[in-house]
Amino acid sequence: MDDIEAELNIAETHADFTQDESEHRQRLKRPVQLHCQVKDRGFFTGIYFLKCNRKCLELLREAMLHHRWQEAVGYFSSYIQTLEAKTYNSYQSVVAEILWRLGTEILHHLPNTSNEDFNALYEQLKNVGVLNFSKISLEHCYHLLLNGQMDEAKRQLSIAESWRYGRVSRSQSLSKTLITAYCGLLDYLIWNEKKSSVSENEELSSNHEMHSYFRQASVTLKDIISLPGIWDPFVLSYVNMLEFYKQEESALQALENYAYNKEFPSNPNAHVYLYQFLKRHDAPREKLISTLRILHSLVPSHELMLELCNLLLGTLERSDTEEALAVCMDLLEFSSWKTDIRAWDCLLTILKKIRKKKWQEIIQKEWKVRRSLWVPLHFRDFLSLKDWMDNHKLMMIIKKDCLRIINENMREYCRVAAIAEKEVLLQIRMKRKKKQHKIQTAITELTN
């Protein structure tokens, strides 16, 4: 709320103090009494208008902070009327955004709010500030989609796409591009809905309708994803349609352009989508590895790095095994992977293969570089107790075996691991004895 008030104050102050006070004298209808003084003749001056407006915003903020939503509705109604009565072009966009943010927040928390209330607010806001027409239209579309009103969302986007208002519409080119993109996405959603509802018997009769939506969506989405930007949901929708119609070459070309085009911003998801597509279509191992190598350079902590390690281990090249070791150790240096069983199990598999191939110098070379980090990160004394309490398998089997292959002697960690192993074995023996005792007792009762 503070940032809203600050934006409005700056805009109002700039507008009021650059003009003569006499220009601000105009009749206003006050929907609520806000303790604002007036001239004897019943006219508001500019400075009193500001006081009235700010007082209303303070009361509105107070009501929202204390969740008095019904009271906030009254203040919001007053606030929007005062701003409509005196709105300067210099800060019309700021006013419209303030009203938009406040109004939607109140309606989301107000009980018994209907979709008609939201629609009425959005339509009112579009008319208050045409400088935000495209943004508000997009927000309106999101709200309709969340409420399952796909046809109405499509209608609103079509209106917004064809909307023109001189230079104002030209200044909203980015928002207009997003509107076009979402028009294509809605065509895809309708196509997908038709696809899932068509049965085998109805397929021939409904094919023409599906193709019609496919053509509309594919043309729009193809144009959109060719523009530099982040277009993840639109790319996935386009590729899904092309795969359905067995146009794998076109889908691959679109994904490669999205991932490798230098005009596009760096996007790890683009390489994830390309890898998943190649994997679905049984691409060669070398192609999969090269795709994941680029992803590793961007996000070395990505979960697909485990698959990269497995792919590298599947080759016979020593350099690939060395790379797999480096990738896996990179992964374990991130806090989110620090105690992950899958990552440690992958590391142990790599170390065992290296030992089997008698490439021990690879391990020593990598360990020499990383030892100063790994010892405090993974093998400190207090971590041994934590691993003992949290994960016996990680400590007793994987970490202990990794240290043995690396030929590193962490006495305290190994000592606690040995104690933990004895404890676990003792618990297993006790459980076996209890189970055997129950069996003996049951047999004795049956014989008697």
Side-chain angles (χ1 to χ4, degrees):
M1 294 296 295
D2 291 333
D3 60 332
I4 292 174
E5 186 178 15
E7 288 176 3
L8 185 62
N9 289 345
I10 292 170
E12 288 174 337
T13 303
H14 175 73
D16 277 281
F17 288 99
T18 54
Q19 303 180 41
D20 187 76
E21 187 179 350
S22 61
E23 296 179 9
H24 300 311
R25 298 190 177 190
Q26 47 185 303
R27 293 185 184 275
L28 294 178
K29 295 179 180 179
R30 290 201 301 173
V32 293
Q33 295 296 326
L34 296 172
H35 311 291
C36 181
Q37 300 178 8
V38 296
K39 291 272 187 177
D40 295 336
R41 290 178 294 170
F43 292 98
F44 284 99
T45 61
I47 192 67
Y48 289 137
F49 171 80
L50 289 177
K51 289 181 179 179
C52 176
N53 213 7
R54 289 168 185 169
K55 181 65 176 178
C56 185
L57 183 60
E58 288 175 7
L59 294 171
L60 175 57
R61 177 176 62 180
E62 192 71 17
M64 292 179 69
L65 289 175
H66 290 86
H67 295 184
R68 300 195 300 268
W69 302 111
Q70 198 65 49
E71 184 181 339
V73 172
Y75 290 128
F76 179 75
S77 177
S78 173
Y79 190 59
I80 193 171
Q81 290 181 49
T82 56
L83 288 177
E84 284 178 340
K86 184 178 181 180
T87 300
Y88 299 105
N89 292 331
S90 58
Y91 64 101
Q92 189 185 61
S93 178
V94 176
V95 169
E97 186 172 354
I98 291 171
L99 295 174
W100 168 20
R101 287 156 63 182
L102 290 177
T104 52
E105 184 71 16
I106 291 171
L107 285 181
H108 275 299
H109 290 90
L110 195 66
N112 303 321
T113 302
S114 64
N115 288 328
E116 287 72 21
D117 295 325
F118 278 95
N119 293 338
L121 175 66
Y122 282 119
E123 291 300 329
Q124 185 179 14
L125 293 176
K126 291 175 188 177
N127 295 323
V128 168
V130 293
L131 296 177
N132 288 325
F133 185 90
S134 298
K135 287 183 180 179
I136 296 171
S137 297
L138 279 171
E139 185 74 19
H140 193 189
C141 173
Y142 300 152
H143 172 76
L144 293 169
L145 287 175
L146 287 173
N147 287 275
Q149 297 177 272
M150 193 179 298
D151 293 335
E152 180 62 19
K154 175 68 174 174
R155 189 181 74 83
Q156 290 291 337
L157 282 181
S158 299
I159 293 172
E161 190 176 20
S162 59
W163 176 77
R164 297 292 183 273
Y165 197 80
R167 294 181 179 179
V168 175
S169 57
R170 288 198 298 272
S171 66
Q172 300 179 28
S173 58
L174 180 59
S175 298
K176 299 283 283 185
T177 302
L178 285 174
I179 288 172
T180 304
Y182 276 97
C183 282
L185 185 62
L186 277 176
D187 286 330
Y188 163 76
L189 292 175
I190 296 171
W191 171 85
N192 196 47
E193 194 176 67
K194 299 287 183 185
K195 182 188 73 171
S196 59
S197 62
V198 170
S199 63
E200 294 182 0
N201 297 329
E202 299 172 329
E203 187 172 358
L204 292 175
S205 60
S206 302
N207 227 359
H208 178 72
E209 186 179 9
M210 282 182 59
H211 272 289
S212 175
Y213 281 110
F214 164 69
R215 284 194 298 271
Q216 292 178 34
S218 60
V219 170
T220 304
L221 293 176
K222 183 179 180 180
D223 291 340
I224 288 297
I225 65 177
S226 64
L227 301 174
I230 305 296
W231 303 106
D232 290 357
F234 308 98
V235 170
L236 290 177
S237 303
Y238 182 62
V239 169
N240 186 25
M241 287 191 297
L242 293 178
E243 283 189 283
F244 180 81
Y245 289 106
K246 309 297 181 183
Q247 300 180 22
E248 287 85 1
E249 287 296 326
S250 298
L252 178 60
Q253 184 179 358
L255 287 170
E256 287 181 339
N257 180 68
Y258 190 52
Y260 299 138
N261 194 325
K262 294 182 180 179
E263 295 181 0
F264 282 59
S266 179
N267 182 11
N269 287 341
H271 301 280
V272 173
Y273 302 149
L274 178 59
Y275 170 76
Q276 291 171 343
F277 177 85
L278 293 172
K279 187 178 178 181
R280 283 197 303 271
H281 295 277
D282 300 321
R285 182 189 296 269
E286 292 75 16
K287 186 73 173 175
L288 297 175
I289 290 174
S290 64
T291 304
L292 288 180
R293 277 174 175 158
I294 298 174
L295 180 61
H296 175 259
S297 66
L298 297 173
V299 189
S301 61
H302 200 282
E303 61 182 353
L304 285 178
M305 294 306 101
L306 292 175
E307 293 193 27
L308 175 58
C309 291
N310 291 329
L311 289 169
L312 291 169
L313 285 177
T315 68
L316 301 176
E317 298 293 330
R318 170 173 171 156
S319 59
D320 289 340
T321 305
E322 187 174 358
E323 183 182 354
L325 177 62
V327 169
C328 191
M329 294 185 83
D330 285 341
L331 193 64
L332 286 166
E333 289 174 3
F334 289 89
S335 58
S336 56
W337 290 95
K338 193 176 173 182
T339 56
D340 191 276
I341 288 287
R342 296 172 300 160
W344 279 100
D345 193 51
C346 180
L347 177 62
L348 183 59
T349 302
I350 296 170
L351 292 175
K352 286 181 177 179
K353 179 181 178 180
I354 292 174
R355 184 178 63 179
K356 184 178 179 181
K357 294 285 187 179
K358 297 182 180 180
W359 296 335
Q360 198 70 20
E361 61 275 9
I362 294 177
I363 299 175
Q364 298 304 322
K365 176 184 174 182
E366 201 68 40
W367 182 247
K368 184 178 179 181
V369 176
R370 300 177 186 263
R371 188 183 186 282
S372 59
L373 173 64
W374 272 59
V375 172
L377 183 64
H378 294 297
F379 300 109
R380 269 194 286 187
D381 295 348
F382 87 93
L383 287 175
S384 60
L385 298 173
K386 187 176 185 299
D387 290 341
W388 183 8
M389 292 185 290
D390 295 345
N391 200 327
H392 292 300
K393 181 183 177 183
L394 176 62
M395 179 182 190
M396 293 185 310
I397 302 174
I398 302 178
K399 278 191 172 183
K400 190 178 176 182
D401 287 350
C402 287
L403 285 172
R404 188 182 298 114
I405 296 173
I406 294 172
N407 197 23
E408 186 70 34
N409 185 19
M410 302 291 174
R411 292 183 180 180
E412 183 61 23
Y413 192 91
C414 292
R415 185 183 69 81
V416 177
I419 295 172
E421 189 172 3
K422 289 179 182 178
E423 288 283 341
V424 172
L425 291 173
L426 183 60
Q427 290 176 7
I428 293 172
R429 288 171 187 169
M430 292 294 291
K431 288 180 181 179
R432 286 178 180 173
K433 285 182 180 180
K434 287 181 181 180
K435 189 175 181 180
Q436 289 175 357
H437 180 70
K438 287 181 180 180
I439 294 172
Q440 289 292 337
T441 305
I443 293 173
T444 304
E445 289 177 354
L446 288 172
T447 53
N448 293 336

